Amino acid sequence: MNVKVENIEKNVVQLEIEVDAAKFEEGMQKSFLKNAKKFNVPGFRKGKAPRNIVERYYGEQVLYEDAINFICPEAYDEAIEKNDIHPVDRPEIDIKQIGSGQSFIFTAKVTVKPDVILGDYKGVEAEKVEANVTDEDVEKELKRVAERNSRLITVEDRGIQKDDIAIIDFNGFVDGKEFEGGKGTDYHLTIGSGQFIPGFEDQLIGAKTGDEVDVNVVFPEDYHATELAGKPALFKVKVKEIKVKELPVLDDEFAKDISEFDTLEEYKEDLKKKLRESAEHKAKHETEDNVINKVVDNASVDIPKVMIDKHIDRLVYYFGMRLRYQGLDLDRYLNIMGMDMDTFRGQFEKKAEKEVKTQLVLEKISKVENITASDDEVNEEIKKLAESYKQNEEDFKKHLSKDDIEYIKGNIVVRKTVDMLVENAKLTVKSGNEQEEEK
Amino acid sequence: MKNPEDIIIRPYITEKSNAEVANGKYTFIVDVRATKTDIKNAVEKLFQVKVLKVNTAKYEGKTKRLGVHVGTRPDWKKAIVKIDLDPKPETYLAEGGKEVAINKKYKTSIEEYGITQ
């Protein structure tokens, strides 16, 4: 097999592959065996005609198509492997010479992975995000937990105060007439939540259970129902019940109720630990992202359009999958959003470009730095995966295809590369809290 | 009807006849009036092979009808010719007592005619 490689455009390579006659003959034979059942020659039962009779009767061209299908992929794969070409798209195949007894020559035009020109990737300056968990954070978290465990208590001996929940019936009139949507029964209104028109909730303060209150409000000018905007309205409101949110007392008892700890102190400790863990995790990720972004910015790549398109395809596909979990499909979603497919895809373009570039840059760095995954590391990773799927390691291994292992290997390499980059980066410290405040 | 081209009309290629080629038996459709000897001579002349044996079979044309018109298809004759697969060179004495050998060509032209293994 002879292969001539030619760069015809940026990132496009043309391979001229010559397959020798014997190999071609083998393909022809395979092709004949595959199609033998189809040929119908007078004097022979269907599928019983020998190859030479078939070739004489139909011409050997009938066998070409399948012969090519047998030979090309094999020859093409071999050619790209030998010449270390990394295609990102299907090849465009063009036949140059074909015929039995001759060598078979074809050209394959294919877009290849672009060359990455790396900028500085060691010692890039990046912000280091630090995990910082204060007692304040713990208190906040504790409050949230308390809120979740709160109960509603009915009060009867006082009027409505701020933050109470009033259960009301209301009926609204504009110009002495009822209007659509102005009526409600057993509505749970949290006073001070600003759910209703401004002024409505304030006027209820002080009302007691069983009171009937007339509330006069003016719809704001920018009210969403235009026929009501700017008009004065009268609401007849009946207060049926007043409820107060009672937060549980934060003590050992509470800790016992909601966790496996006996004292509040212990629970707080645990909470702090968990918060720290998640904060550290997040901080690590953000730091990594910062470093990677810097490195990627420093590098330059001329990404072929097919790669971006393919990545957009993938993103759109995942988006569609997520929609399906919510019981929607992509077509309907686009309909609702009033978008067509092109604009929708356009939204992903930036993201796709960035992700592709990141991937290419990381790949290149791992190659330059010679970062590989050893078998031990792969096994370790498989073990971890098996655990997370709650499967026996051996069983799990059996189900892994070669591609899967390749994929795991790739992941390890990427992780190691990122670790290497972070290690070598000049990190300027910035705490997580400060950043939040800045926002 | 003396020309060998007029005697041998065309090869008769079927699964059965094709299988017999391996044993050196080639099947032809021949002129109905041709005798076994005619066929032998014609094949030897056309294909430069040595014929060992000729078997023939005559087929009557089928009666076909198209509306009220009744007609028959022509009769035809099939000849199965066995050729020598391993011919010995023939020798004869030429003038002056010299012995001349003629190599009988073997099977090439007969295959070009349409029967292949």
Side-chain angles (χ1 to χ4, degrees):
Chain A
M1 199 178 76
N2 280 325
V3 184
K4 264 185 264 169
V5 185
E6 198 184 336
N7 282 311
I8 44 173
E9 272 172 59
K10 221 179 197 178
N11 299 328
V12 179
V13 162
Q14 181 164 305
L15 298 166
E16 195 176 302
I17 302 170
E18 188 181 340
V19 182
D20 51 42
K23 190 95 189 170
F24 180 67
E25 170 59 28
E26 199 181 295
M28 289 288 275
Q29 187 61 29
K30 267 191 193 157
S31 162
F32 170 71
L33 290 176
K34 185 185 169 198
N35 291 312
K37 287 238 149 56
K38 282 186 210 155
F39 299 119
N40 204 0
V41 182
F44 293 85
R45 287 170 293 162
K46 214 170 182 199
K48 298 286 181 185
R51 186 173 151 201
N52 49 31
I53 303 281
V54 168
E55 276 181 12
R56 195 184 288 266
Y57 194 77
Y58 287 102
E60 64 174 14
Q61 288 82 0
V62 286
L63 299 177
Y64 284 170
E65 195 183 325
D66 278 307
I68 291 168
N69 287 343
F70 276 122
I71 301 166
C72 273
E74 212 178 290
Y76 172 72
D77 285 349
E78 204 183 318
I80 56 173
E81 198 165 307
K82 264 193 191 155
N83 290 284
D84 202 23
I85 290 166
H86 301 281
V88 291
D89 199 15
R90 278 160 196 248
E92 246 174 71
I93 287 186
D94 215 6
I95 311 291
K96 280 272 162 71
Q97 181 188 307
I98 192 167
S100 58
Q102 292 170 302
S103 53
F104 168 56
I105 301 172
F106 67 97
T107 58
K109 212 161 93 180
V110 74
T111 316
V112 293
K113 256 186 202 171
D115 215 17
V116 180
I117 302 160
L118 289 175
D120 292 336
Y121 60 89
K122 272 186 178 172
V124 289
E125 282 174 23
E127 273 172 24
K128 183 182 168 89
V129 183
E130 273 203 342
N132 228 342
V133 179
T134 57
D135 288 341
E136 214 174 291
D137 292 331
V138 178
E139 289 301 326
K140 252 192 227 161
E141 181 64 24
L142 206 56
K143 226 179 217 171
R144 252 201 295 273
V145 176
E147 194 99 345
R148 265 207 303 273
N149 288 289
S150 65
R151 272 176 303 178
L152 289 178
I153 304 269
T154 310
V155 288
E156 283 180 344
D157 53 346
R158 62 174 177 81
I160 295 175
Q161 290 174 359
K162 204 161 178 284
D163 292 336
D164 287 355
I165 294 169
I167 298 170
I168 55 168
D169 288 351
F170 60 94
N171 202 355
F173 298 91
V174 169
D175 302 335
K177 269 183 259 167
E178 288 184 29
F179 60 92
E180 209 180 309
K183 212 172 166 180
T185 48
D186 287 340
Y187 193 86
H188 287 59
L189 176 63
T190 309
I191 307 299
S193 64
Q195 247 176 324
F196 275 24
I197 313 161
F200 190 101
E201 289 160 14
D202 295 340
Q203 290 182 44
L204 284 179
I205 288 176
K208 286 187 175 146
T209 310
D211 280 0
E212 287 188 30
V213 188
D214 287 352
V215 177
N216 282 297
V217 286
V218 177
F219 280 105
E221 290 290 343
D222 54 356
Y223 197 63
H224 58 82
T226 38
E227 67 269 21
L228 294 175
K231 282 194 179 163
L234 168 70
F235 282 91
K236 287 191 191 298
V237 181
K238 189 176 181 208
V239 181
K240 283 174 137 181
E241 226 178 341
I242 303 168
K243 282 188 170 176
V244 161
K245 211 184 237 179
E246 195 200 49
L247 295 177
V249 187
L250 299 173
D251 54 11
D252 293 353
E253 202 63 36
F254 169 70
K256 231 184 246 177
D257 271 355
I258 61 157
S259 67
E260 69 262 38
F261 299 103
D262 286 337
T263 65
L264 190 62
E265 266 323 299
E266 276 173 345
Y267 180 61
K268 267 188 181 170
E269 242 353 272
D270 181 59
L271 215 52
K272 194 166 181 178
K273 212 175 91 195
K274 274 184 189 151
L275 281 176
R276 165 151 298 155
E277 259 171 33
S278 79
E280 267 168 9
H281 193 69
K282 200 174 144 224
K284 188 168 169 246
H285 258 280
E286 276 174 19
T287 312
E288 279 174 6
D289 277 351
N290 284 342
V291 174
I292 291 170
N293 280 343
K294 273 275 157 60
V295 173
V296 170
D297 281 346
N298 282 344
S300 63
V301 192
D302 193 21
I303 308 170
K305 196 159 181 314
V306 267
M307 276 187 98
I308 294 175
D309 280 347
K310 267 192 170 174
H311 199 75
I312 293 176
D313 282 347
R314 216 161 18 224
L315 290 174
V316 169
Y317 176 74
Y318 286 140
F319 192 83
M321 288 275 272
R322 275 204 299 280
L323 280 180
R324 236 165 288 149
Y325 281 128
Q326 295 162 17
L328 264 172
D329 59 36
L330 201 56
D331 286 344
R332 221 175 315 153
Y333 173 80
L334 290 179
N335 239 333
I336 294 168
M337 301 300 285
M339 269 190 293
D340 57 15
M341 199 63 189
D342 285 342
T343 17
F344 180 65
R345 287 175 68 97
Q347 292 179 342
F348 282 111
E349 205 172 311
K350 272 266 146 53
K351 192 178 171 209
E353 194 180 329
K354 183 154 181 243
E355 285 182 10
V356 170
K357 193 176 170 187
T358 306
Q359 194 201 338
L360 287 170
V361 169
L362 287 180
E363 251 170 44
K364 177 82 179 182
I365 293 174
S366 66
K367 216 171 175 186
V368 171
E369 290 291 318
N370 220 353
I371 297 173
T372 50
S374 68
D375 286 350
D376 283 348
E377 281 166 326
V378 173
N379 283 337
E380 186 74 14
E381 187 71 19
I382 290 174
K383 209 168 166 182
K384 258 191 229 161
L385 279 174
E387 257 164 39
S388 69
Y389 286 120
K390 296 205 168 31
Q391 276 185 18
N392 193 327
E393 193 190 334
E394 291 302 313
D395 284 350
F396 186 70
K397 239 182 195 170
K398 256 180 237 161
H399 290 297
L400 289 175
S401 65
K402 214 176 145 209
D403 284 350
D404 290 335
I405 290 176
E406 223 30 60
Y407 177 74
I408 291 171
K409 229 179 201 170
N411 274 348
I412 296 172
V413 169
V414 167
R415 211 175 48 218
K416 279 168 93 176
T417 312
V418 171
D419 285 348
M420 190 275 290
L421 288 176
V422 173
E423 244 169 60
N424 282 304
K426 277 184 206 136
L427 297 173
T428 44
V429 178
K430 219 170 200 199
S431 76
N433 277 8
E434 273 172 51
Q435 260 200 345
E436 257 166 46
E437 276 159 27
E438 271 171 24
K439 277 168 198 167
Chain B
M1 208 204 65
K2 282 279 183 264
N3 290 333
E5 286 86 355
D6 292 331
I7 295 171
I8 310 293
I9 298 171
R10 62 178 175 88
Y12 184 72
I13 303 165
T14 65
E15 240 179 282
K16 190 176 175 183
S17 75
N18 204 58
E20 287 288 84
V21 168
N23 305 324
K25 289 181 180 170
Y26 292 81
T27 312
F28 302 94
I29 291 175
V30 295
D31 193 298
V32 194
R33 291 160 293 178
T35 62
K36 286 182 179 180
T37 323
D38 291 340
I39 294 162
K40 179 183 171 179
N41 292 336
V43 169
E44 288 196 335
K45 188 155 189 205
L46 269 181
F47 305 122
Q48 322 279 306
V49 291
K50 186 172 183 196
V51 173
L52 299 177
K53 190 170 143 191
V54 179
N55 290 354
T56 57
K58 251 175 98 174
Y59 291 85
E60 271 178 31
K62 290 174 180 172
T63 309
K64 292 277 170 179
R65 136 203 304 279
L66 190 69
V68 291
H69 308 286
V70 182
T72 46
R73 288 195 170 166
D75 298 348
W76 54 282
K77 191 179 218 171
K78 181 172 88 176
I80 301 154
V81 181
K82 185 169 184 191
I83 64 163
D84 195 350
L85 286 178
D86 188 20
K88 302 262 177 328
E90 248 171 47
T91 55
Y92 62 93
L93 287 173
E95 218 176 315
K98 270 191 206 157
E99 202 169 69
V100 179
I102 305 167
N103 258 334
K104 287 238 168 187
K105 271 190 198 154
Y106 164 67
K107 271 219 305 192
T108 43
S109 50
I110 204 166
E111 293 198 330
E112 274 161 26
Y113 191 60
I115 308 167
T116 43
Q117 214 165 320

